[in-house]
Amino acid sequence: MEKFQVIAHPLIQHKLSILRRTDTPTKAFRELVDEIAMLMGYEVLRDLPLEDVEIETPITKTVQKQIAGKKLAIVPILRAGIGMVDGLLSLVPAAKVGHIGMYRDEETLQPVEYLVKLPEDIDQRQIFVVDPMLATGGSAILAIDSLKKRGATNIKFVCLVAAPEGVKALQAAHPDVDIFTAALDEKLNEKGYIVPGLGDAGDRLFGTK
Ligand code: PRP
Ligand code: URA
């Protein structure tokens, strides 16, 4: 499996174009984030281990496959990551959900952590950190630092829009973490926003601006 993957399915690209548009209202924005996260889940969860299970069809007994009950955790980076949780949970409803609260200081662009609430056995779980935006990479790096400090070893990062600067920084800080994105954009602007991007994901998701 590749360490960095752009999941460019036509449905995802189509929905992402609508998501980016300035005139897409909050309700549609929320629905699109949810749908794209779910569609990405198909690829992101490709490595889930299977085990044999004996079942009976109307015709015969047979040994088939089922998902081995490996423990998963979805960890959104607040706020915007929350929008991606339900889409993934619809595919793996038994996954636990942890939360890491983080905001970027608007002057320094440095992330500030304000909440960490994780499943107790986080060190034993396959973790999917979700956040729509990977800009400078600061938030993702600090969130993953925080998880590793608590014993997490098996971590994947899932975003919708990534800047090359953020991908590079995250790969350098956490080379063991697979990165999945729906799009790799051009660059960051002088305010640390992704270009062309979609603006402030948290504000658009929650209608706060
Ligand atoms: C956004 C976004 C990421 C972060 C990405 O959150 O959801 O968490 O910025 O930027 P970075 O890669 O440069 O760290 P923001 O700080 O705006 O907080 P919010 O989700 O609460 O609005
Ligand atoms: N955070 C966002 O929400 N959008 C960006 O473009 C960069 C960081």
Side-chain angles (χ1 to χ4, degrees):
M1 185 61 139
E2 286 176 46
K3 284 273 166 212
F4 173 73
Q5 198 181 334
V6 179
I7 305 176
H9 189 285
L11 285 172
I12 293 178
Q13 292 191 54
H14 177 83
K15 287 175 191 293
L16 192 55
S17 298
I18 306 172
L19 191 73
R20 289 178 187 276
R21 294 176 64 131
T22 310
D23 57 3
T24 296
T26 302
K27 177 175 180 290
F29 191 92
R30 214 175 274 148
E31 289 166 357
L32 286 159
V33 169
D34 180 62
E35 288 166 7
I36 297 170
M38 200 254 285
L39 290 168
M40 290 182 78
Y42 185 82
E43 276 303 320
V44 168
L45 297 163
R46 188 177 276 286
D47 283 349
L48 282 189
L50 293 170
E51 63 187 11
D52 288 342
V53 58
E54 189 177 286
I55 59 163
E56 239 180 286
T57 75
I59 311 299
T60 184
K61 278 192 176 171
T62 172
V63 174
Q64 298 293 329
K65 298 288 180 194
Q66 67 179 15
I67 304 279
K70 196 163 171 17
K71 294 170 157 190
L72 305 183
I74 301 166
V75 178
I77 301 178
L78 309 188
R79 293 173 298 163
I82 289 174
M84 297 174 67
V85 173
D86 282 353
L88 289 174
L89 273 182
S90 64
L91 302 175
V92 283
K96 295 278 195 288
V97 180
H99 294 87
I100 297 187
M102 208 156 276
Y103 68 87
R104 287 200 316 178
D105 181 295
E106 283 182 10
E107 297 297 315
T108 64
L109 298 184
Q110 291 306 305
V112 181
E113 188 177 272
Y114 59 87
L115 174 101
V116 180
K117 188 75 190 166
L118 302 169
E120 271 180 5
D121 56 354
I122 195 72
D123 54 323
Q124 293 157 46
R125 290 184 177 268
Q126 159 78 68
I127 300 165
F128 299 88
V129 177
V130 298
D131 188 329
M133 311 306 279
L134 179 62
T136 64
S139 304
I141 291 168
L142 191 59
I144 294 168
D145 284 344
S146 205
L147 285 162
K148 286 186 175 174
K149 236 188 274 166
R150 290 165 176 84
T153 53
N154 194 348
I155 304 170
K156 296 181 196 288
F157 181 79
V158 189
C159 61
L160 304 188
V161 182
E165 295 90 331
V167 175
K168 203 168 153 206
L170 180 52
Q171 283 176 328
H174 296 293
D176 55 306
V177 172
D178 289 339
I179 304 170
F180 298 88
T181 185
L184 180 61
D185 275 12
E186 229 173 87
K187 59 177 183 184
L188 294 178
N189 69 13
E190 64 290 348
K191 289 187 173 157
Y193 278 89
I194 300 177
V195 181
L198 49 74
D200 187 306
D203 283 337
R204 295 201 62 187
L205 191 69
F206 295 107
T208 38
K209 246 183 206 162

